Amino acid sequence: GVCNFSLPQLEALVEQCRIQPMVCQVEYHPLCAQQQLPLLQYCQEQGIIIQAYASLGGQDTSAEQWEAVLGQQQLASHENDSTTAPPPTTLLTSPPVTKLARALNYTPAQILLRWALEQNCVILPKTSHWERLRENAQVLDCSMTPNQVAQLSEELRNQVIDTLIDTNNCDDDEESKERRLQELTRLCWRG
């Protein structure tokens, strides 16, 4: 298998190798889905399994990075409580994820893991807590429609774009905004 290969790197490898890789491990979650889609499609066409890591958004992502990506949002559970500040928005606490979790009666983690499974990705949820391990295993009993999968990706992408527009100069051209969007939504592996 290979890890963190871009589409051009994987295509070049497949052209040159005698034994094709069976697995391509990449960061994969709804925020980076659009930029990883060509790689996902290529791997599916070639019979290469996508193994998604950071499906929950990346454990090493700082609060500052989350604020740059998703903004500091007032969460529904804190709307009427002025005594406590809302926690920083992360992928697990972002409104599109929590809204869908409530609607389907799943946890936010189950929504994100199921999102990847619905796209035929193998997931690697990491935990040292038995409760979360059981919760993660229960994702096999969950389901999402293709429309819910697409809508979650779109809503999160729009949230990031709205944050970019609010926090940066709106004078940037579309190519610069897209480059910044790709930079921000790649939460773990940087290169």
Side-chain angles (χ1 to χ4, degrees), residues 75-76 91-108 111 148 151-152 155-156:
L75 302 175
L91 196 51
L92 281 167
T93 61
S94 66
V97 173
T98 57
K99 181 178 85 176
L100 186 56
R102 280 191 306 274
L104 298 177
N105 200 29
Y106 302 148
T107 66
I111 290 295
Q148 289 167 327
Q151 185 176 354
L152 180 60
E155 286 180 12
L156 282 165

mmCIF file with all atom_site columns, all heavy atoms in Angstrom, residues 75-76 91-108 111 148 151-152 155-156:
data_model
loop_
_atom_site.group_PDB
_atom_site.id
_atom_site.type_symbol
_atom_site.label_atom_id
_atom_site.label_alt_id
_atom_site.label_comp_id
_atom_site.label_asym_id
_atom_site.label_entity_id
_atom_site.label_seq_id
_atom_site.pdbx_PDB_ins_code
_atom_site.Cartn_x
_atom_site.Cartn_y
_atom_site.Cartn_z
_atom_site.occupancy
_atom_site.B_iso_or_equiv
_atom_site.pdbx_formal_charge
_atom_site.auth_seq_id
_atom_site.auth_comp_id
_atom_site.auth_asym_id
_atom_site.auth_atom_id
_atom_site.pdbx_PDB_model_num
ATOM 1   N N   . LEU A 1 75  ? -22.796 27.158 19.286 1.00 0.00 ? 75  LEU A N   1
ATOM 2   C CA  . LEU A 1 75  ? -23.452 25.880 19.139 1.00 0.00 ? 75  LEU A CA  1
ATOM 3   C C   . LEU A 1 75  ? -24.833 25.901 19.763 1.00 0.00 ? 75  LEU A C   1
ATOM 4   O O   . LEU A 1 75  ? -25.095 26.611 20.718 1.00 0.00 ? 75  LEU A O   1
ATOM 5   C CB  . LEU A 1 75  ? -22.612 24.770 19.781 1.00 0.00 ? 75  LEU A CB  1
ATOM 6   C CG  . LEU A 1 75  ? -21.194 24.638 19.217 1.00 0.00 ? 75  LEU A CG  1
ATOM 7   C CD1 . LEU A 1 75  ? -20.422 23.599 19.992 1.00 0.00 ? 75  LEU A CD1 1
ATOM 8   C CD2 . LEU A 1 75  ? -21.249 24.280 17.753 1.00 0.00 ? 75  LEU A CD2 1
ATOM 9   N N   . ALA A 1 76  ? -25.717 25.096 19.237 1.00 0.00 ? 76  ALA A N   1
ATOM 10  C CA  . ALA A 1 76  ? -27.111 25.076 19.683 1.00 0.00 ? 76  ALA A CA  1
ATOM 11  C C   . ALA A 1 76  ? -27.227 24.823 21.178 1.00 0.00 ? 76  ALA A C   1
ATOM 12  O O   . ALA A 1 76  ? -28.057 25.423 21.847 1.00 0.00 ? 76  ALA A O   1
ATOM 13  C CB  . ALA A 1 76  ? -27.886 24.014 18.906 1.00 0.00 ? 76  ALA A CB  1
ATOM 14  N N   . LEU A 1 91  ? -14.816 19.556 13.514 1.00 0.00 ? 91  LEU A N   1
ATOM 15  C CA  . LEU A 1 91  ? -15.639 18.781 12.598 1.00 0.00 ? 91  LEU A CA  1
ATOM 16  C C   . LEU A 1 91  ? -16.731 18.031 13.370 1.00 0.00 ? 91  LEU A C   1
ATOM 17  O O   . LEU A 1 91  ? -17.877 17.963 12.939 1.00 0.00 ? 91  LEU A O   1
ATOM 18  C CB  . LEU A 1 91  ? -14.766 17.805 11.809 1.00 0.00 ? 91  LEU A CB  1
ATOM 19  C CG  . LEU A 1 91  ? -15.363 17.189 10.561 1.00 0.00 ? 91  LEU A CG  1
ATOM 20  C CD1 . LEU A 1 91  ? -15.943 18.226 9.627  1.00 0.00 ? 91  LEU A CD1 1
ATOM 21  C CD2 . LEU A 1 91  ? -14.318 16.370 9.834  1.00 0.00 ? 91  LEU A CD2 1
ATOM 22  N N   . LEU A 1 92  ? -16.394 17.520 14.546 1.00 0.00 ? 92  LEU A N   1
ATOM 23  C CA  . LEU A 1 92  ? -17.371 16.793 15.365 1.00 0.00 ? 92  LEU A CA  1
ATOM 24  C C   . LEU A 1 92  ? -18.467 17.694 15.925 1.00 0.00 ? 92  LEU A C   1
ATOM 25  O O   . LEU A 1 92  ? -19.555 17.219 16.231 1.00 0.00 ? 92  LEU A O   1
ATOM 26  C CB  . LEU A 1 92  ? -16.668 16.093 16.532 1.00 0.00 ? 92  LEU A CB  1
ATOM 27  C CG  . LEU A 1 92  ? -15.953 14.795 16.197 1.00 0.00 ? 92  LEU A CG  1
ATOM 28  C CD1 . LEU A 1 92  ? -15.047 14.374 17.349 1.00 0.00 ? 92  LEU A CD1 1
ATOM 29  C CD2 . LEU A 1 92  ? -16.940 13.702 15.861 1.00 0.00 ? 92  LEU A CD2 1
ATOM 30  N N   . THR A 1 93  ? -18.182 18.973 16.104 1.00 0.00 ? 93  THR A N   1
ATOM 31  C CA  . THR A 1 93  ? -19.169 19.880 16.701 1.00 0.00 ? 93  THR A CA  1
ATOM 32  C C   . THR A 1 93  ? -19.737 20.879 15.705 1.00 0.00 ? 93  THR A C   1
ATOM 33  O O   . THR A 1 93  ? -20.510 21.750 16.084 1.00 0.00 ? 93  THR A O   1
ATOM 34  C CB  . THR A 1 93  ? -18.557 20.659 17.887 1.00 0.00 ? 93  THR A CB  1
ATOM 35  O OG1 . THR A 1 93  ? -17.460 21.441 17.412 1.00 0.00 ? 93  THR A OG1 1
ATOM 36  C CG2 . THR A 1 93  ? -18.105 19.720 18.993 1.00 0.00 ? 93  THR A CG2 1
ATOM 37  N N   . SER A 1 94  ? -19.360 20.734 14.437 1.00 0.00 ? 94  SER A N   1
ATOM 38  C CA  . SER A 1 94  ? -19.856 21.683 13.442 1.00 0.00 ? 94  SER A CA  1
ATOM 39  C C   . SER A 1 94  ? -21.363 21.499 13.249 1.00 0.00 ? 94  SER A C   1
ATOM 40  O O   . SER A 1 94  ? -21.880 20.377 13.302 1.00 0.00 ? 94  SER A O   1
ATOM 41  C CB  . SER A 1 94  ? -19.124 21.509 12.119 1.00 0.00 ? 94  SER A CB  1
ATOM 42  O OG  . SER A 1 94  ? -19.429 20.255 11.570 1.00 0.00 ? 94  SER A OG  1
ATOM 43  N N   . PRO A 1 95  ? -22.084 22.588 13.047 1.00 0.00 ? 95  PRO A N   1
ATOM 44  C CA  . PRO A 1 95  ? -23.541 22.496 12.909 1.00 0.00 ? 95  PRO A CA  1
ATOM 45  C C   . PRO A 1 95  ? -24.046 21.505 11.862 1.00 0.00 ? 95  PRO A C   1
ATOM 46  O O   . PRO A 1 95  ? -24.988 20.770 12.155 1.00 0.00 ? 95  PRO A O   1
ATOM 47  C CB  . PRO A 1 95  ? -23.946 23.939 12.596 1.00 0.00 ? 95  PRO A CB  1
ATOM 48  C CG  . PRO A 1 95  ? -22.909 24.757 13.310 1.00 0.00 ? 95  PRO A CG  1
ATOM 49  C CD  . PRO A 1 95  ? -21.624 23.980 13.110 1.00 0.00 ? 95  PRO A CD  1
ATOM 50  N N   . PRO A 1 96  ? -23.465 21.404 10.667 1.00 0.00 ? 96  PRO A N   1
ATOM 51  C CA  . PRO A 1 96  ? -23.997 20.414 9.718  1.00 0.00 ? 96  PRO A CA  1
ATOM 52  C C   . PRO A 1 96  ? -23.903 18.971 10.243 1.00 0.00 ? 96  PRO A C   1
ATOM 53  O O   . PRO A 1 96  ? -24.810 18.170 10.028 1.00 0.00 ? 96  PRO A O   1
ATOM 54  C CB  . PRO A 1 96  ? -23.130 20.600 8.468  1.00 0.00 ? 96  PRO A CB  1
ATOM 55  C CG  . PRO A 1 96  ? -22.644 22.005 8.557  1.00 0.00 ? 96  PRO A CG  1
ATOM 56  C CD  . PRO A 1 96  ? -22.435 22.250 10.033 1.00 0.00 ? 96  PRO A CD  1
ATOM 57  N N   . VAL A 1 97  ? -22.818 18.654 10.945 1.00 0.00 ? 97  VAL A N   1
ATOM 58  C CA  . VAL A 1 97  ? -22.640 17.297 11.471 1.00 0.00 ? 97  VAL A CA  1
ATOM 59  C C   . VAL A 1 97  ? -23.598 17.043 12.633 1.00 0.00 ? 97  VAL A C   1
ATOM 60  O O   . VAL A 1 97  ? -24.273 16.011 12.672 1.00 0.00 ? 97  VAL A O   1
ATOM 61  C CB  . VAL A 1 97  ? -21.175 17.054 11.900 1.00 0.00 ? 97  VAL A CB  1
ATOM 62  C CG1 . VAL A 1 97  ? -21.011 15.705 12.600 1.00 0.00 ? 97  VAL A CG1 1
ATOM 63  C CG2 . VAL A 1 97  ? -20.247 17.145 10.688 1.00 0.00 ? 97  VAL A CG2 1
ATOM 64  N N   . THR A 1 98  ? -23.669 17.986 13.570 1.00 0.00 ? 98  THR A N   1
ATOM 65  C CA  . THR A 1 98  ? -24.534 17.774 14.741 1.00 0.00 ? 98  THR A CA  1
ATOM 66  C C   . THR A 1 98  ? -26.012 17.768 14.344 1.00 0.00 ? 98  THR A C   1
ATOM 67  O O   . THR A 1 98  ? -26.794 17.004 14.919 1.00 0.00 ? 98  THR A O   1
ATOM 68  C CB  . THR A 1 98  ? -24.269 18.829 15.835 1.00 0.00 ? 98  THR A CB  1
ATOM 69  O OG1 . THR A 1 98  ? -24.469 20.142 15.301 1.00 0.00 ? 98  THR A OG1 1
ATOM 70  C CG2 . THR A 1 98  ? -22.850 18.705 16.379 1.00 0.00 ? 98  THR A CG2 1
ATOM 71  N N   . LYS A 1 99  ? -26.373 18.569 13.357 1.00 0.00 ? 99  LYS A N   1
ATOM 72  C CA  . LYS A 1 99  ? -27.761 18.587 12.884 1.00 0.00 ? 99  LYS A CA  1
ATOM 73  C C   . LYS A 1 99  ? -28.151 17.229 12.287 1.00 0.00 ? 99  LYS A C   1
ATOM 74  O O   . LYS A 1 99  ? -29.218 16.680 12.607 1.00 0.00 ? 99  LYS A O   1
ATOM 75  C CB  . LYS A 1 99  ? -27.943 19.700 11.853 1.00 0.00 ? 99  LYS A CB  1
ATOM 76  C CG  . LYS A 1 99  ? -29.369 19.823 11.310 1.00 0.00 ? 99  LYS A CG  1
ATOM 77  C CD  . LYS A 1 99  ? -29.489 20.982 10.336 1.00 0.00 ? 99  LYS A CD  1
ATOM 78  C CE  . LYS A 1 99  ? -29.072 20.515 8.957  1.00 0.00 ? 99  LYS A CE  1
ATOM 79  N NZ  . LYS A 1 99  ? -29.235 21.518 7.910  1.00 0.00 ? 99  LYS A NZ  1
ATOM 80  N N   . LEU A 1 100 ? -27.291 16.670 11.452 1.00 0.00 ? 100 LEU A N   1
ATOM 81  C CA  . LEU A 1 100 ? -27.580 15.376 10.848 1.00 0.00 ? 100 LEU A CA  1
ATOM 82  C C   . LEU A 1 100 ? -27.558 14.267 11.906 1.00 0.00 ? 100 LEU A C   1
ATOM 83  O O   . LEU A 1 100 ? -28.382 13.355 11.865 1.00 0.00 ? 100 LEU A O   1
ATOM 84  C CB  . LEU A 1 100 ? -26.587 15.072 9.720  1.00 0.00 ? 100 LEU A CB  1
ATOM 85  C CG  . LEU A 1 100 ? -26.851 13.816 8.902  1.00 0.00 ? 100 LEU A CG  1
ATOM 86  C CD1 . LEU A 1 100 ? -28.248 13.817 8.284  1.00 0.00 ? 100 LEU A CD1 1
ATOM 87  C CD2 . LEU A 1 100 ? -25.784 13.663 7.821  1.00 0.00 ? 100 LEU A CD2 1
ATOM 88  N N   . ALA A 1 101 ? -26.645 14.367 12.859 1.00 0.00 ? 101 ALA A N   1
ATOM 89  C CA  . ALA A 1 101 ? -26.583 13.372 13.941 1.00 0.00 ? 101 ALA A CA  1
ATOM 90  C C   . ALA A 1 101 ? -27.890 13.351 14.732 1.00 0.00 ? 101 ALA A C   1
ATOM 91  O O   . ALA A 1 101 ? -28.430 12.279 15.030 1.00 0.00 ? 101 ALA A O   1
ATOM 92  C CB  . ALA A 1 101 ? -25.397 13.656 14.858 1.00 0.00 ? 101 ALA A CB  1
ATOM 93  N N   . ARG A 1 102 ? -28.397 14.535 15.056 1.00 0.00 ? 102 ARG A N   1
ATOM 94  C CA  . ARG A 1 102 ? -29.676 14.603 15.785 1.00 0.00 ? 102 ARG A CA  1
ATOM 95  C C   . ARG A 1 102 ? -30.812 14.032 14.934 1.00 0.00 ? 102 ARG A C   1
ATOM 96  O O   . ARG A 1 102 ? -31.645 13.280 15.431 1.00 0.00 ? 102 ARG A O   1
ATOM 97  C CB  . ARG A 1 102 ? -29.991 16.049 16.185 1.00 0.00 ? 102 ARG A CB  1
ATOM 98  C CG  . ARG A 1 102 ? -29.259 16.524 17.416 1.00 0.00 ? 102 ARG A CG  1
ATOM 99  C CD  . ARG A 1 102 ? -29.809 17.856 17.935 1.00 0.00 ? 102 ARG A CD  1
ATOM 100 N NE  . ARG A 1 102 ? -29.846 18.912 16.937 1.00 0.00 ? 102 ARG A NE  1
ATOM 101 C CZ  . ARG A 1 102 ? -28.832 19.720 16.646 1.00 0.00 ? 102 ARG A CZ  1
ATOM 102 N NH1 . ARG A 1 102 ? -27.695 19.611 17.292 1.00 0.00 ? 102 ARG A NH1 1
ATOM 103 N NH2 . ARG A 1 102 ? -28.965 20.643 15.719 1.00 0.00 ? 102 ARG A NH2 1
ATOM 104 N N   . ALA A 1 103 ? -30.831 14.366 13.666 1.00 0.00 ? 103 ALA A N   1
ATOM 105 C CA  . ALA A 1 103 ? -31.916 13.906 12.778 1.00 0.00 ? 103 ALA A CA  1
ATOM 106 C C   . ALA A 1 103 ? -31.924 12.386 12.633 1.00 0.00 ? 103 ALA A C   1
ATOM 107 O O   . ALA A 1 103 ? -32.992 11.774 12.553 1.00 0.00 ? 103 ALA A O   1
ATOM 108 C CB  . ALA A 1 103 ? -31.791 14.569 11.411 1.00 0.00 ? 103 ALA A CB  1
ATOM 109 N N   . LEU A 1 104 ? -30.759 11.767 12.612 1.00 0.00 ? 104 LEU A N   1
ATOM 110 C CA  . LEU A 1 104 ? -30.664 10.318 12.414 1.00 0.00 ? 104 LEU A CA  1
ATOM 111 C C   . LEU A 1 104 ? -30.505 9.544  13.720 1.00 0.00 ? 104 LEU A C   1
ATOM 112 O O   . LEU A 1 104 ? -30.409 8.314  13.708 1.00 0.00 ? 104 LEU A O   1
ATOM 113 C CB  . LEU A 1 104 ? -29.501 9.992  11.468 1.00 0.00 ? 104 LEU A CB  1
ATOM 114 C CG  . LEU A 1 104 ? -29.614 10.550 10.056 1.00 0.00 ? 104 LEU A CG  1
ATOM 115 C CD1 . LEU A 1 104 ? -28.377 10.217 9.238  1.00 0.00 ? 104 LEU A CD1 1
ATOM 116 C CD2 . LEU A 1 104 ? -30.863 10.015 9.372  1.00 0.00 ? 104 LEU A CD2 1
ATOM 117 N N   . ASN A 1 105 ? -30.412 10.273 14.825 1.00 0.00 ? 105 ASN A N   1
ATOM 118 C CA  . ASN A 1 105 ? -30.230 9.667  16.151 1.00 0.00 ? 105 ASN A CA  1
ATOM 119 C C   . ASN A 1 105 ? -28.916 8.888  16.253 1.00 0.00 ? 105 ASN A C   1
ATOM 120 O O   . ASN A 1 105 ? -28.872 7.775  16.768 1.00 0.00 ? 105 ASN A O   1
ATOM 121 C CB  . ASN A 1 105 ? -31.427 8.782  16.517 1.00 0.00 ? 105 ASN A CB  1
ATOM 122 C CG  . ASN A 1 105 ? -31.507 8.543  18.018 1.00 0.00 ? 105 ASN A CG  1
ATOM 123 O OD1 . ASN A 1 105 ? -31.083 9.381  18.806 1.00 0.00 ? 105 ASN A OD1 1
ATOM 124 N ND2 . ASN A 1 105 ? -32.039 7.403  18.409 1.00 0.00 ? 105 ASN A ND2 1
ATOM 125 N N   . TYR A 1 106 ? -27.849 9.468  15.705 1.00 0.00 ? 106 TYR A N   1
ATOM 126 C CA  . TYR A 1 106 ? -26.499 8.929  15.792 1.00 0.00 ? 106 TYR A CA  1
ATOM 127 C C   . TYR A 1 106 ? -25.629 9.956  16.507 1.00 0.00 ? 106 TYR A C   1
ATOM 128 O O   . TYR A 1 106 ? -26.028 11.098 16.698 1.00 0.00 ? 106 TYR A O   1
ATOM 129 C CB  . TYR A 1 106 ? -25.886 8.665  14.406 1.00 0.00 ? 106 TYR A CB  1
ATOM 130 C CG  . TYR A 1 106 ? -26.656 7.727  13.513 1.00 0.00 ? 106 TYR A CG  1
ATOM 131 C CD1 . TYR A 1 106 ? -26.636 7.905  12.142 1.00 0.00 ? 106 TYR A CD1 1
ATOM 132 C CD2 . TYR A 1 106 ? -27.384 6.652  14.016 1.00 0.00 ? 106 TYR A CD2 1
ATOM 133 C CE1 . TYR A 1 106 ? -27.320 7.053  11.290 1.00 0.00 ? 106 TYR A CE1 1
ATOM 134 C CE2 . TYR A 1 106 ? -28.069 5.798  13.176 1.00 0.00 ? 106 TYR A CE2 1
ATOM 135 C CZ  . TYR A 1 106 ? -28.036 6.004  11.820 1.00 0.00 ? 106 TYR A CZ  1
ATOM 136 O OH  . TYR A 1 106 ? -28.708 5.157  10.982 1.00 0.00 ? 106 TYR A OH  1
ATOM 137 N N   . THR A 1 107 ? -24.421 9.560  16.840 1.00 0.00 ? 107 THR A N   1
ATOM 138 C CA  . THR A 1 107 ? -23.473 10.524 17.386 1.00 0.00 ? 107 THR A CA  1
ATOM 139 C C   . THR A 1 107 ? -22.775 11.225 16.218 1.00 0.00 ? 107 THR A C   1
ATOM 140 O O   . THR A 1 107 ? -22.731 10.688 15.095 1.00 0.00 ? 107 THR A O   1
ATOM 141 C CB  . THR A 1 107 ? -22.408 9.841  18.267 1.00 0.00 ? 107 THR A CB  1
ATOM 142 O OG1 . THR A 1 107 ? -21.596 9.001  17.436 1.00 0.00 ? 107 THR A OG1 1
ATOM 143 C CG2 . THR A 1 107 ? -23.053 9.018  19.391 1.00 0.00 ? 107 THR A CG2 1
ATOM 144 N N   . PRO A 1 108 ? -22.203 12.393 16.448 1.00 0.00 ? 108 PRO A N   1
ATOM 145 C CA  . PRO A 1 108 ? -21.434 13.042 15.376 1.00 0.00 ? 108 PRO A CA  1
ATOM 146 C C   . PRO A 1 108 ? -20.311 12.161 14.834 1.00 0.00 ? 108 PRO A C   1
ATOM 147 O O   . PRO A 1 108 ? -20.075 12.127 13.627 1.00 0.00 ? 108 PRO A O   1
ATOM 148 C CB  . PRO A 1 108 ? -20.899 14.310 16.045 1.00 0.00 ? 108 PRO A CB  1
ATOM 149 C CG  . PRO A 1 108 ? -21.942 14.630 17.081 1.00 0.00 ? 108 PRO A CG  1
ATOM 150 C CD  . PRO A 1 108 ? -22.357 13.276 17.613 1.00 0.00 ? 108 PRO A CD  1
ATOM 151 N N   . ILE A 1 111 ? -21.728 9.717  12.413 1.00 0.00 ? 111 ILE A N   1
ATOM 152 C CA  . ILE A 1 111 ? -22.063 10.379 11.141 1.00 0.00 ? 111 ILE A CA  1
ATOM 153 C C   . ILE A 1 111 ? -20.820 10.478 10.268 1.00 0.00 ? 111 ILE A C   1
ATOM 154 O O   . ILE A 1 111 ? -20.844 10.145 9.076  1.00 0.00 ? 111 ILE A O   1
ATOM 155 C CB  . ILE A 1 111 ? -22.672 11.779 11.390 1.00 0.00 ? 111 ILE A CB  1
ATOM 156 C CG1 . ILE A 1 111 ? -24.063 11.666 12.001 1.00 0.00 ? 111 ILE A CG1 1
ATOM 157 C CG2 . ILE A 1 111 ? -22.678 12.630 10.113 1.00 0.00 ? 111 ILE A CG2 1
ATOM 158 C CD1 . ILE A 1 111 ? -25.112 11.030 11.103 1.00 0.00 ? 111 ILE A CD1 1
ATOM 159 N N   . GLN A 1 148 ? -27.840 12.552 1.740  1.00 0.00 ? 148 GLN A N   1
ATOM 160 C CA  . GLN A 1 148 ? -27.308 13.023 3.023  1.00 0.00 ? 148 GLN A CA  1
ATOM 161 C C   . GLN A 1 148 ? -25.787 13.116 2.990  1.00 0.00 ? 148 GLN A C   1
ATOM 162 O O   . GLN A 1 148 ? -25.207 14.051 3.536  1.00 0.00 ? 148 GLN A O   1
ATOM 163 C CB  . GLN A 1 148 ? -27.762 12.096 4.165  1.00 0.00 ? 148 GLN A CB  1
ATOM 164 C CG  . GLN A 1 148 ? -29.234 12.208 4.478  1.00 0.00 ? 148 GLN A CG  1
ATOM 165 C CD  . GLN A 1 148 ? -29.739 11.092 5.361  1.00 0.00 ? 148 GLN A CD  1
ATOM 166 O OE1 . GLN A 1 148 ? -29.265 9.947  5.295  1.00 0.00 ? 148 GLN A OE1 1
ATOM 167 N NE2 . GLN A 1 148 ? -30.722 11.411 6.192  1.00 0.00 ? 148 GLN A NE2 1
ATOM 168 N N   . GLN A 1 151 ? -25.029 16.188 0.839  1.00 0.00 ? 151 GLN A N   1
ATOM 169 C CA  . GLN A 1 151 ? -25.451 17.417 1.525  1.00 0.00 ? 151 GLN A CA  1
ATOM 170 C C   . GLN A 1 151 ? -24.494 17.769 2.660  1.00 0.00 ? 151 GLN A C   1
ATOM 171 O O   . GLN A 1 151 ? -24.159 18.944 2.843  1.00 0.00 ? 151 GLN A O   1
ATOM 172 C CB  . GLN A 1 151 ? -26.871 17.255 2.061  1.00 0.00 ? 151 GLN A CB  1
ATOM 173 C CG  . GLN A 1 151 ? -27.420 18.526 2.668  1.00 0.00 ? 151 GLN A CG  1
ATOM 174 C CD  . GLN A 1 151 ? -28.876 18.366 3.099  1.00 0.00 ? 151 GLN A CD  1
ATOM 175 O OE1 . GLN A 1 151 ? -29.510 17.357 2.843  1.00 0.00 ? 151 GLN A OE1 1
ATOM 176 N NE2 . GLN A 1 151 ? -29.385 19.378 3.757  1.00 0.00 ? 151 GLN A NE2 1
ATOM 177 N N   . LEU A 1 152 ? -24.035 16.776 3.410  1.00 0.00 ? 152 LEU A N   1
ATOM 178 C CA  . LEU A 1 152 ? -23.092 17.050 4.493  1.00 0.00 ? 152 LEU A CA  1
ATOM 179 C C   . LEU A 1 152 ? -21.804 17.654 3.948  1.00 0.00 ? 152 LEU A C   1
ATOM 180 O O   . LEU A 1 152 ? -21.306 18.652 4.465  1.00 0.00 ? 152 LEU A O   1
ATOM 181 C CB  . LEU A 1 152 ? -22.796 15.772 5.279  1.00 0.00 ? 152 LEU A CB  1
ATOM 182 C CG  . LEU A 1 152 ? -21.824 15.924 6.452  1.00 0.00 ? 152 LEU A CG  1
ATOM 183 C CD1 . LEU A 1 152 ? -22.360 16.908 7.488  1.00 0.00 ? 152 LEU A CD1 1
ATOM 184 C CD2 . LEU A 1 152 ? -21.550 14.575 7.086  1.00 0.00 ? 152 LEU A CD2 1
ATOM 185 N N   . GLU A 1 155 ? -22.603 21.298 2.762  1.00 0.00 ? 155 GLU A N   1
ATOM 186 C CA  . GLU A 1 155 ? -22.831 22.241 3.866  1.00 0.00 ? 155 GLU A CA  1
ATOM 187 C C   . GLU A 1 155 ? -21.530 22.594 4.576  1.00 0.00 ? 155 GLU A C   1
ATOM 188 O O   . GLU A 1 155 ? -21.292 23.752 4.923  1.00 0.00 ? 155 GLU A O   1
ATOM 189 C CB  . GLU A 1 155 ? -23.841 21.675 4.861  1.00 0.00 ? 155 GLU A CB  1
ATOM 190 C CG  . GLU A 1 155 ? -25.263 21.704 4.343  1.00 0.00 ? 155 GLU A CG  1
ATOM 191 C CD  . GLU A 1 155 ? -26.269 21.137 5.337  1.00 0.00 ? 155 GLU A CD  1
ATOM 192 O OE1 . GLU A 1 155 ? -25.912 20.916 6.518  1.00 0.00 ? 155 GLU A OE1 1
ATOM 193 O OE2 . GLU A 1 155 ? -27.426 20.912 4.927  1.00 0.00 ? 155 GLU A OE2 1
ATOM 194 N N   . LEU A 1 156 ? -20.666 21.598 4.794  1.00 0.00 ? 156 LEU A N   1
ATOM 195 C CA  . LEU A 1 156 ? -19.387 21.884 5.441  1.00 0.00 ? 156 LEU A CA  1
ATOM 196 C C   . LEU A 1 156 ? -18.495 22.735 4.543  1.00 0.00 ? 156 LEU A C   1
ATOM 197 O O   . LEU A 1 156 ? -17.847 23.663 5.004  1.00 0.00 ? 156 LEU A O   1
ATOM 198 C CB  . LEU A 1 156 ? -18.678 20.589 5.835  1.00 0.00 ? 156 LEU A CB  1
ATOM 199 C CG  . LEU A 1 156 ? -19.243 19.937 7.093  1.00 0.00 ? 156 LEU A CG  1
ATOM 200 C CD1 . LEU A 1 156 ? -18.769 18.502 7.211  1.00 0.00 ? 156 LEU A CD1 1
ATOM 201 C CD2 . LEU A 1 156 ? -18.863 20.733 8.332  1.00 0.00 ? 156 LEU A CD2 1
#
